[in-house]
Amino acid sequence: MPVQRLNHAVLYVRDVERSVAFYTDLLNFRLDHRLHADGDKVPEAAFLKAEESTNDHDLAFMQIESPASPRSPDRRPGLAHLAWEVDTLAELQQIRGKLLQAGALTHEIDHGTTKSLYANDPDDLQFEVCWLVPADRINEVTREAFAPLDLDAVIAQFGADLPGGTGISAPARH
């Protein structure tokens, strides 16, 4: 598979605020944005960036064991998923075909600046394979964070061989 690099990690935690404080105070991560639990679909979550990162997030926390979390009953603190990055949409499409053939693809999400496939490995561990919109093309995307991914439409918009953001899915800080 043409996976090129690790893009981010998502962790299940018992207390999002405690985890944010730990990583911001001790490792200089900075809070980028939050999602507030909506009861059925989205757990309480926070998305952080490493100090000089131009990625949309490098680390995320999803809260478990709260009444609003849909993942509470069978989740423990630990890894939710790792996200692997590919260079082109053609590579993402190739991986999509392989994941479909293996019966491993679970869902596809358009996160605005990130186009993502989610799958489970043989031990039912979730992972993400994603392509990042290049920073100079971000103004061409909608900011909807959880829309269904239409990979054919994205390829029509950007082209199959456009190099992705390679870890740069947000405009650089100046």
Side-chain angles (χ1 to χ4, degrees), residues 9-23 31 34-35 37 42-48 59-81:
V10 179
L11 303 176
Y12 290 122
V13 299
R14 286 201 171 91
D15 185 330
V16 167
E17 295 309 315
R18 181 179 66 189
S19 295
V20 167
F22 179 89
Y23 282 88
L31 179 65
R34 298 177 184 272
L35 294 177
V42 179
E44 191 74 23
F47 299 81
L48 285 73
L59 180 62
F61 305 118
M62 299 177 78
Q63 189 158 310
I64 59 171
E65 297 184 10
S66 72
S69 175
R71 298 192 172 136
S72 292
D74 20 338
R75 295 291 181 192
R76 295 181 184 171
L79 182 67
H81 73 263

Side-chain angles (χ1 to χ4, degrees), residues 22 44 66 73 91 98 103 143 162 165:
F22 179 89
E44 191 74 23
S66 72
E91 292 170 346
K98 289 179 179 181
R143 292 291 180 173
L162 176 67

Side-chain angles (χ1 to χ4, degrees), residues 50-62:
E51 191 169 11
E52 296 299 320
S53 176
T54 57
N55 199 8
D56 60 359
H57 67 285
D58 299 297
L59 180 62
F61 305 118
M62 299 177 78

